[in-house]
Amino acid sequence: MSITIRPADFTDPQLLALLQLHLAGMHAQSPPGSVYALDLSGLDVPEVSFWTAWEGDMLLGCGALKALSAQSGEIKSMRTHPAHLRKGVGAALLVHLLALARARGYRRVSLETGSGPAFEPALALYGGFGFVNGPAFGDYAPSDFNQFLHLALGADHAT
């Protein structure tokens, strides 16, 4: 599989469908008030760089990097299309987002994700890149339905 990463086109029907699937999946796994997934209005803003993974003209997945400060960022809205799971799509997106974070000079990247069996593949992916559990950050509230992962990006923490 040849994966190409490119900036998101928020008018692309494939992307809009994947974002809708992402939000529906998050709401299905967590009760109201405990989902922090961004919709289109939260992704199409200057502090968020949103990227898509493609094979030819087929959308495989998406992911975003949100600026939190001059030294830190947050991974948002990572989603692989269900037809392309376990093909390296999430890893390709994560490599791209971490390279972007390093290019921006971030010292740390964090993310909030769900908990429970449905999130085990994502947690394995993040763990493989060196993310570790840690405290809540930003405006997030800890609950039984989420968890927080962090990755140091200093020169001695290259992935």
Side-chain angles (χ1 to χ4, degrees), residues 8 12 17 29 32 47 59 79 96 115 119 144-145 147 150 153:
D12 186 288
Q29 298 295 324
E47 64 271 16
L59 179 64
R79 177 63 87 171
H96 181 81
S115 59
F119 295 92
D144 291 340
F145 303 98
Q147 56 193 307
H150 307 277
L153 293 178

Side-chain angles (χ1 to χ4, degrees), residues 3-134:
I3 299 172
T4 303
I5 307 294
R6 60 185 193 227
D9 172 0
F10 290 112
T11 65
D12 186 288
Q14 289 183 80
L15 178 56
L16 297 176
L18 185 59
L19 289 173
Q20 185 176 37
L21 177 71
H22 178 62
L23 288 171
M26 298 307 294
H27 287 285
Q29 298 295 324
S30 302
S34 64
V35 174
Y36 295 98
L38 296 177
D39 62 11
L40 188 59
S41 68
L43 292 169
D44 192 12
V45 295
E47 64 271 16
V48 175
S49 299
F50 197 66
W51 298 86
T52 51
W54 297 82
E55 182 175 41
D57 62 356
M58 185 181 324
L59 179 64
L60 307 175
C62 60
L65 180 63
K66 179 180 180 181
L68 296 178
S69 73
Q71 294 187 342
S72 67
E74 177 185 4
I75 303 291
K76 296 289 297 179
S77 301
M78 287 281 293
R79 177 63 87 171
T80 298
H81 189 283
H84 303 290
L85 294 172
R86 307 214 191 332
K87 297 180 180 177
V89 176
L93 282 162
L94 197 49
V95 164
H96 181 81
L97 295 172
L98 293 176
L100 181 59
R102 286 187 178 92
R104 291 179 179 177
Y106 292 168
R107 303 286 296 160
R108 177 180 170 131
V109 176
S110 301
L111 63 91
E112 181 269 346
T113 190
S115 59
F119 295 92
E120 287 175 6
L123 293 171
L125 173 68
Y126 298 132
F129 276 79
F131 281 85
V132 296
N133 287 323

Side-chain angles (χ1 to χ4, degrees), residues 136-154:
F137 62 96
D139 295 330
Y140 292 111
S143 76
D144 291 340
F145 303 98
N146 66 356
Q147 56 193 307
F148 309 96
L149 304 176
H150 307 277
L151 177 67
L153 293 178

